[in-house]
Amino acid sequence: MFLRNGLEPWHLLIVAVVLILLFGSKKLPDTARALGKSLRILKSETKAMREDGSAPATAAAPVAHVTPAPAPAETPAHPAP
């Protein structure tokens, strides 16, 4: 089988080179920082949902459906004579 040993160090090196080529060396730290921040937020939100989710999912209140407001009618650019 082709991937019987899983990831090897040279695989990670190829991924790193491709990322540097795609994003550039100046944007890569900002991108990694934003990704880390997003993952921390996701982790804290899932933890909060687990702590608050003591009630079964079937006992949750129904979700109210919001209907969008109708779009305003367009006025003609030139009034009819």
Side-chain angles (χ1 to χ4, degrees), residues 35-50:
L35 180 64
K37 192 176 190 180
S38 298
L39 289 175
R40 280 192 300 273
I41 291 171
L42 178 66
K43 185 178 177 181
S44 67
E45 290 295 325
T46 54
K47 183 179 177 183
M49 286 177 63
R50 285 185 191 144

